[in-house]
Amino acid sequence: MRLRHATSLPARPIAGVLALGLAALLCGPALAEPIFPSGSRFGFEPPSDMAPSRRFSGFERKEGGATVSVVELPAAAFGDLEKNFTDENLKSQGFVVQKREALKVAGGADAVLFTGEQPPEGGAAGPAVQKWLLLVGDPTVTGIIIAQALPGAETEETMRGMVTGVTIRPALSLDQQVESLPFRIANPAGFRPVRVLGGNSVLLTQGPKDQMVSLEQPILVLAQAVQPPPAPEQRDGFARAALYANQTMKDFVIERSQSYRQNGVDWHEIVARATDLPTNVPVVVSQTIRFAPDGYLRAVGVVREDQREGTLAKFREVVDSVQVK
């Protein structure tokens, strides 16, 4: 797992005394409520100059220079990660550890806090990025929390306090996770959500099974990316590269690849035949990308070739109905 986080960082709280105390409790400021990144179980109390990010699960400083990102993994992952997060392994990921501490956080969860820095890549000039990595092992979830800041952007006290003050809430229902997505599906067209990934994407299927073997049911993945889209003349190449990057399929044969404009929005669509790697089953892949000034929505539908009739149209119905929040 790469621990570098893609952000905008450069390349990288006697009777008279008792009465006064009671008055302070009653009249003092209310305790801040933790803020949870969209769909995340990990909440934080960020400083006033940091806000939830639209680009990743976490927070970023409004003026730039500091981020906190969150990765959620199954509870069983904590033990292996704790063993593998050696100083040497972390250094190979660009993180030079200066201090490691065993902690209890979030009401008693085991945690390890790594403090250090990330030097400029390739010996380039510039300041090292200050870095804090908190590995959290709750009985129900594992978290990797990565905070980083340029010198002067945030204080050590602020960043350490934000990371170690993490709150863990109960697991969200699938409906709650879907509701937290940055987009809404107005017409599911017979598809239903099975899993939400990373707070910005959802896996849907058509059929009764949640676990599919040999692509018994069509699947459709919708994912929102908040990053600059490619220029119009680069979109066909961008779309093809995105399709070929799918490592679960091989032998792509493109049937159709086209850019078009619909309802004032730029789109690109590819329909291709391929072979599913785990099963060698012939499949048809439909990839649709909807471009916006600050990002894009990518939809990838996969169906067995012998089930393609009518399914590609259903993929399109779902995609056309998506409304970005």
Side-chain angles (χ1 to χ4, degrees), residues 51-316:
S53 174
R54 296 183 63 238
R55 302 184 297 121
F56 55 87
S57 181
F59 300 82
E60 53 189 330
R61 189 169 180 263
K62 299 169 187 175
E63 294 80 15
T67 63
V68 174
S69 62
V70 186
V71 177
E72 296 183 24
L73 297 169
F78 179 79
D80 287 339
L81 290 173
E82 187 179 21
K83 293 176 184 176
N84 291 326
F85 278 12
T86 64
D87 290 358
E88 183 179 352
N89 285 343
L90 291 174
K91 186 175 182 179
S92 72
Q93 302 293 317
F95 179 24
V96 179
V97 176
Q98 298 169 338
K99 186 178 181 181
R100 146 191 323 245
E101 305 167 69
L103 305 173
K104 294 287 186 180
V105 299
D110 291 327
V112 183
L113 176 65
F114 303 84
T115 305
E117 63 180 22
Q118 179 179 310
E121 290 190 39
V129 175
Q130 298 171 290
K131 204 157 187 173
W132 301 261
L133 187 156
L134 185 72
L135 176 63
V136 183
D138 180 81
T140 62
V141 66
T142 294
I144 301 176
I145 300 161
I146 303 171
Q148 52 188 19
L150 287 172
E154 296 287 351
T155 67
E156 160 82 19
E157 181 182 12
T158 295
M159 297 299 276
R160 179 188 172 95
M162 181 175 173
V163 169
T164 59
V166 62
T167 297
I168 304 175
R169 63 180 173 181
L172 303 181
S173 69
L174 181 58
D175 287 343
Q176 289 173 316
Q177 294 178 61
V178 171
E179 181 61 30
S180 296
L181 287 167
F183 53 83
R184 186 176 75 87
I185 302 170
N187 176 18
F191 283 81
R192 62 183 181 83
V194 175
R195 188 176 303 115
V196 170
L197 308 167
N200 69 338
S201 60
V202 59
L203 169 67
L204 305 105
T205 190
Q206 188 181 58
K209 295 184 178 181
D210 289 347
Q211 299 292 332
M212 288 149 279
V213 179
S214 303
L215 288 172
E216 301 158 294
Q217 301 169 180
I219 60 173
L220 176 63
V221 177
L222 301 173
Q224 175 76 11
V226 181
Q227 60 190 58
E233 65 273 12
Q234 298 173 331
R235 289 175 181 171
D236 184 74
F238 173 83
R240 290 173 185 256
L243 179 70
Y244 297 149
N246 191 318
Q247 299 181 358
T248 65
M249 290 177 278
K250 65 177 182 179
D251 303 333
F252 289 95
V253 177
I254 293 180
E255 295 182 354
R256 182 174 74 252
S257 178
Q258 60 183 2
S259 294
Y260 60 96
R261 192 166 178 83
Q262 176 177 288
N263 298 326
V265 178
D266 291 330
W267 302 70
H268 189 282
E269 183 177 64
I270 292 178
V271 174
R273 300 190 306 277
T275 301
D276 179 59
L277 273 175
T279 63
N280 281 323
V281 171
V283 297
V284 177
V285 187
S286 173
Q287 175 184 269
T288 307
I289 303 177
R290 184 170 72 184
F291 296 100
D294 60 349
Y296 56 89
L297 176 81
R298 179 172 178 244
V300 178
V302 183
V303 59
R304 294 171 64 116
E305 191 167 27
D306 57 5
Q307 298 174 355
R308 72 179 289 170
E309 189 67 31
T311 303
L312 298 186
K314 292 294 184 183
F315 287 158
R316 186 62 181 273

Side-chain angles (χ1 to χ4, degrees), residues 39-57:
S40 176
R41 293 185 58 191
F42 293 87
F44 304 85
E45 296 180 19
S48 60
D49 62 348
M50 295 187 76
S53 174
R54 296 183 63 238
R55 302 184 297 121
F56 55 87
S57 181

